[in-house]
Amino acid sequence: MTQLKAVPALDKLAPYVQGQSRIDGVEKPIKLSSNESSHGPSPAALAAFEAAAPALHRYPDGSQQALREAIARVHGLDAGRIICGNGSDELISLMVRAYVSAGDDVLLSENGFIMSNIHCTAQGANLLIAPERDYRVDVDALLARVTERTRFCTIANPNNPTGTYISGAELRRLHAGLPGDCLLLIDDAYAEYVTAQDYEDGSALVDAFDNVVMTRTFSKVYGLPSLRIGWAYCPPGVTDYVQRIRTPFNTNGPALQAAAAAVQDTDFTRRVRDYNASEYARIRDALVSLGIEVVPSQTNFYLLHFEAGSGKSGSAAAAALQARGIIPRPAGGGDQYLRITIGLREENDAVLAVLRDYMAAPA
């Protein structure tokens, strides 16, 4: 009997492992493993979600018009070039399906959203991964790996799990060094948190060129990860091709309404961003005083580095936190790193208390 086989490229993949959400024996742990907003959604988004309930027997608006227009008004963009999806994850998948063929080279940085790697691998592409320098995307390392078969390049800016970013000038330099038939996808999931003056999201590049796409999400600063909704800003040609393969009802009605309310509640978004920046600075200063390296972050999380040979490690620090009911996220593929989401002030205080005790204990 002939045996059913999946696409060969899938043999190279393992299932995605999400951030831990439970600790045995702890009824309500402090979950700081998934970069969720500790503030939750805005009241306006919650009200819009609840108001959507009477229409659950109807299909959602497949054109996504209300949300696209709300995003366009807030960000000063062309609504006709916005596509919404089941999280930015789905939109990345659609871009890969549209522009990457088996045997193509795709260019990725050492860190970033792992689903980009997964989608490209499943498509049968060759992954060329550039190392990073000082925890940042290294434009020179990426460009050094460009080949005649390079058809897709993606970076997360700010990056995950480092929290670092590259400037607008570096972003433009990266694009200028790529072939004209290579799609550059800029994953701006954490853009709303950024306070750095030289940061630029990808929208200006999208407006200027026909081979750049920017993706964004409602899962981070807007506090709507459970609704799974994101958006992409694309050149007209990309919009055309991606709309041909987007399923007609890929975003649900309550999510569309809640997201439209969320993006327009700019005062709430600003308060969350300002809290995040202030709290990150407080946490960073406290941890540095304990002798822990904190990688500079422009996101709602921070990456800790424990020096090899110091007797301290990311795994041991994680164990200490979990013993006190706090869930961080291992990161970096080694034993020296630990990623922690910025939570409510009392949650952050709990983290600092544990790490203070951990660093004071004999190695």
Side-chain angles (χ1 to χ4, degrees):
M1 180 181 294
T2 303
Q3 184 178 4
L4 179 67
K5 288 190 175 183
V7 174
L10 301 189
D11 289 331
K12 302 176 182 178
L13 296 171
Y16 176 80
V17 179
Q18 66 185 59
Q20 182 181 340
S21 60
R22 295 180 179 85
I23 299 176
D24 291 342
V26 179
E27 185 177 353
K28 292 183 177 180
I30 298 174
K31 185 188 175 194
L32 302 176
S33 57
S34 297
N35 304 339
E36 298 152 330
S37 172
S38 61
H39 298 271
S42 82
L46 288 174
F49 177 79
E50 293 169 359
L56 293 182
H57 63 301
R58 302 295 186 190
Y59 282 108
D61 174 17
S63 73
Q64 309 165 332
Q65 182 174 347
L67 177 53
R68 291 189 297 103
E69 290 179 349
I71 293 169
R73 282 193 300 272
V74 171
H75 293 285
L77 304 176
D78 178 357
R81 294 161 57 187
I82 294 171
I83 305 173
C84 302
N86 185 32
S88 55
D89 180 6
E90 184 201 19
L91 295 163
I92 294 169
S93 173
L94 290 171
M95 301 300 161
V96 172
R97 285 175 57 198
Y99 288 96
V100 177
S101 299
D104 285 348
D105 288 347
V106 299
L107 197 53
L108 304 128
S109 192
E110 177 182 353
N111 293 302
F113 186 29
I114 191 62
M115 291 308 300
S116 296
N117 303 49
I118 291 173
H119 294 317
C120 291
T121 299
Q123 198 75 356
N126 306 312
L127 274 59
L128 305 179
I129 299 177
E132 295 179 0
R133 182 189 306 171
D134 298 329
Y135 305 108
R136 296 180 187 276
V137 169
D138 187 336
V139 171
D140 289 327
L142 285 166
L143 295 180
R145 286 162 174 77
V146 170
T147 73
E148 61 183 13
R149 295 188 306 274
T150 301
R151 296 293 177 266
F152 186 79
C153 174
T154 181
I155 63 166
N157 194 40
N159 208 353
N160 182 11
T162 60
T164 59
Y165 75 101
I166 60 171
S167 68
E170 282 293 276
L171 193 60
R172 292 190 297 274
R173 189 166 72 86
L174 171 61
H175 173 262
L178 296 173
D181 59 352
C182 172
L183 180 67
L184 172 61
L185 188 150
I186 305 163
D187 177 6
D188 281 342
Y190 297 93
E192 289 84 1
Y193 287 108
V194 179
T195 59
Q197 294 300 305
D198 60 347
Y199 174 80
E200 297 175 15
D201 70 12
S203 59
L205 279 174
V206 176
D207 283 335
F209 299 97
D210 63 4
N211 65 335
V212 185
V213 167
M214 173 184 70
T215 56
R216 303 283 279 267
T217 184
F218 284 92
S219 294
K220 302 306 177 185
V221 79
Y222 297 110
L224 297 173
S226 186
L227 294 186
R228 306 306 307 125
I229 190 154
W231 58 280
Y233 188 52
C234 315
V238 174
T239 303
D240 176 38
Y241 280 111
V242 171
Q243 291 286 26
R244 300 183 192 195
I245 57 175
R246 178 180 70 87
T247 55
F249 304 114
N250 63 325
T251 47
N252 69 77
L256 288 169
Q257 294 191 42
V263 75
Q264 293 176 97
D265 192 351
T266 55
D267 287 342
F268 182 85
T269 304
R270 176 183 47 77
R271 290 196 299 272
V272 173
R273 182 199 65 215
D274 292 348
Y275 166 86
N276 186 81
S278 174
E279 199 64 354
Y280 165 72
R282 183 178 76 91
I283 295 166
R284 176 202 60 208
D285 292 348
L287 294 177
V288 168
S289 72
L290 297 177
I292 302 174
E293 180 186 0
V294 182
V295 177
S297 177
Q298 289 285 325
T299 65
N300 69 331
F301 62 85
Y302 49 97
L303 183 68
L304 306 183
H305 175 226
F306 297 87
E307 196 68 40
S310 66
K312 303 294 180 179
S313 68
S315 59
L321 288 163
Q322 291 208 39
R324 300 264 283 272
I326 302 169
I327 308 175
R329 179 88 185 239
D335 193 40
Q336 303 309 122
Y337 295 94
L338 189 64
R339 193 193 72 188
I340 305 176
T341 306
I342 296 171
L344 299 173
R345 188 176 179 91
E346 58 269 24
E347 295 172 333
N348 300 330
D349 286 342
V351 170
L352 293 175
V354 173
L355 293 178
R356 192 176 296 115
D357 291 346
Y358 170 68
M359 294 300 289

